[in-house]
Protein backbone atom coordinates (compact mmCIF):
# COMPACT_ATOMS: atom_id res chain seq x y z
CA UNK A 1 0.00 0.00 0.00
CA UNK A 2 1.53 3.30 -1.12
CA UNK A 3 1.58 6.12 1.36
CA UNK A 4 1.21 9.68 0.13
CA UNK A 5 3.39 11.35 2.71
CA UNK A 6 5.65 14.16 1.66
CA UNK A 7 8.95 14.71 3.35
CA UNK A 8 9.42 18.26 4.51
CA UNK A 9 12.83 19.81 4.09
CA UNK A 10 14.47 21.57 6.96
CA UNK A 11 14.02 25.30 7.16
CA UNK A 12 16.50 27.17 5.01
CA UNK A 13 17.99 30.56 5.69
CA UNK A 14 16.63 33.50 3.73
CA UNK A 15 18.46 36.82 3.38
CA UNK A 16 17.85 40.12 1.62
CA UNK A 17 20.63 42.10 0.01
CA UNK A 18 21.89 44.24 -2.86
CA UNK A 19 23.61 42.85 -5.94
CA UNK A 20 27.09 44.39 -5.93
CA UNK A 21 28.72 42.41 -8.75
CA UNK A 22 27.93 40.10 -11.64
CA UNK A 23 30.58 37.41 -11.53
CA UNK A 24 30.04 35.60 -14.78
CA UNK A 25 27.06 33.91 -16.40
CA UNK A 26 24.24 33.06 -13.94
CA UNK A 27 26.24 34.20 -10.91
CA UNK A 28 26.04 37.33 -8.78
CA UNK A 29 27.51 38.57 -5.53
CA UNK A 30 24.93 39.85 -3.04
CA UNK A 31 25.92 42.06 -0.11
CA UNK A 32 23.82 41.53 3.01
CA UNK A 33 23.63 43.91 5.94
CA UNK A 34 22.90 43.30 9.59
CA UNK A 35 22.74 45.82 12.38
CA UNK A 36 23.93 45.16 15.88
CA UNK A 37 24.41 47.23 18.96
CA UNK A 38 27.93 47.72 20.30
CA UNK A 39 28.17 45.85 23.62
CA UNK A 40 29.81 48.70 25.53
CA UNK A 41 28.99 51.96 23.76
CA UNK A 42 25.48 51.09 22.58
CA UNK A 43 25.94 52.55 19.10
CA UNK A 44 24.26 50.65 16.26
CA UNK A 45 26.90 49.24 13.91
CA UNK A 46 26.29 48.06 10.34
CA UNK A 47 28.03 44.78 9.47
CA UNK A 48 28.25 43.55 5.88
CA UNK A 49 28.79 40.12 4.35
CA UNK A 50 28.95 39.02 0.72
CA UNK A 51 27.15 35.93 -0.57
CA UNK A 52 27.80 34.24 -3.93
CA UNK A 53 24.38 33.45 -5.39
CA UNK A 54 23.03 31.53 -8.38
CA UNK A 55 21.04 33.71 -10.82
CA UNK A 56 19.29 31.08 -12.97
CA UNK A 57 17.13 33.45 -15.03
CA UNK A 58 20.06 35.89 -15.36
CA UNK A 59 17.74 38.81 -14.58
CA UNK A 60 19.42 40.43 -11.56
CA UNK A 61 21.59 43.44 -12.34
CA UNK A 62 24.02 45.40 -10.19
CA UNK A 63 22.11 47.57 -7.72
CA UNK A 64 18.97 45.39 -7.54
CA UNK A 65 17.58 44.41 -4.13
CA UNK A 66 17.03 40.64 -4.12
CA UNK A 67 16.01 37.87 -1.74
CA UNK A 68 18.33 34.86 -1.57
CA UNK A 69 17.83 31.43 0.00
CA UNK A 70 20.27 28.81 1.17
CA UNK A 71 20.73 25.78 -1.10
CA UNK A 72 23.04 22.86 -1.70
CA UNK A 73 26.58 23.69 -2.90
CA UNK A 74 26.39 24.66 -6.57
CA UNK A 75 30.11 25.38 -7.03
CA UNK A 76 33.20 25.99 -4.94
CA UNK A 77 31.74 29.20 -3.47
CA UNK A 78 28.02 29.32 -4.40
CA UNK A 79 25.68 28.14 -1.64
CA UNK A 80 22.78 30.56 -2.24
CA UNK A 81 20.20 31.12 -5.00
CA UNK A 82 18.06 34.11 -5.91
CA UNK A 83 14.46 33.51 -4.86
CA UNK A 84 12.82 36.78 -5.88
CA UNK A 85 13.57 40.19 -7.23
CA UNK A 86 11.16 43.05 -6.45
CA UNK A 87 9.48 44.64 -9.44
CA UNK A 88 10.58 48.12 -10.53
CA UNK A 89 7.96 50.81 -9.86
Amino acid sequence: MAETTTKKRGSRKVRKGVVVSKSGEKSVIVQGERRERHPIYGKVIRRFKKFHAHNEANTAQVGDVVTIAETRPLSATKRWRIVSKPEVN
Side-chain angles (χ1 to χ4, degrees):
M1 182 172 208
E3 292 184 25
T4 58
T5 59
T6 58
K7 291 188 178 186
K8 185 177 178 187
R9 289 183 175 177
S11 61
R12 297 187 177 196
K13 296 175 188 160
V14 176
R15 302 277 188 263
K16 187 182 251 187
V18 179
V19 177
V20 292
S21 173
K22 280 186 65 97
S23 55
E25 196 71 22
K26 296 187 179 183
S27 297
V28 292
I29 298 176
V30 178
Q31 183 173 6
E33 175 187 342
R34 65 184 167 94
R35 294 169 186 251
E36 60 184 32
R37 190 167 293 277
H38 191 279
I40 296 173
Y41 301 115
K43 180 178 178 172
V44 176
I45 303 170
R46 293 169 39 181
R47 304 274 181 161
F48 298 96
K49 186 170 181 178
K50 291 181 180 175
F51 302 97
H52 294 256
H54 185 65
N55 185 14
E56 180 63 38
N58 211 13
T59 56
Q61 301 298 322
V62 175
D64 291 344
V65 177
V66 296
T67 303
I68 58 175
E70 195 175 32
T71 186
R72 64 183 176 83
L74 298 171
S75 71
T77 57
K78 284 199 296 189
R79 267 85 172 131
W80 297 83
R81 62 181 163 77
I82 291 183
V83 176
S84 68
K85 180 182 142 196
E87 298 298 323
V88 178
N89 294 335

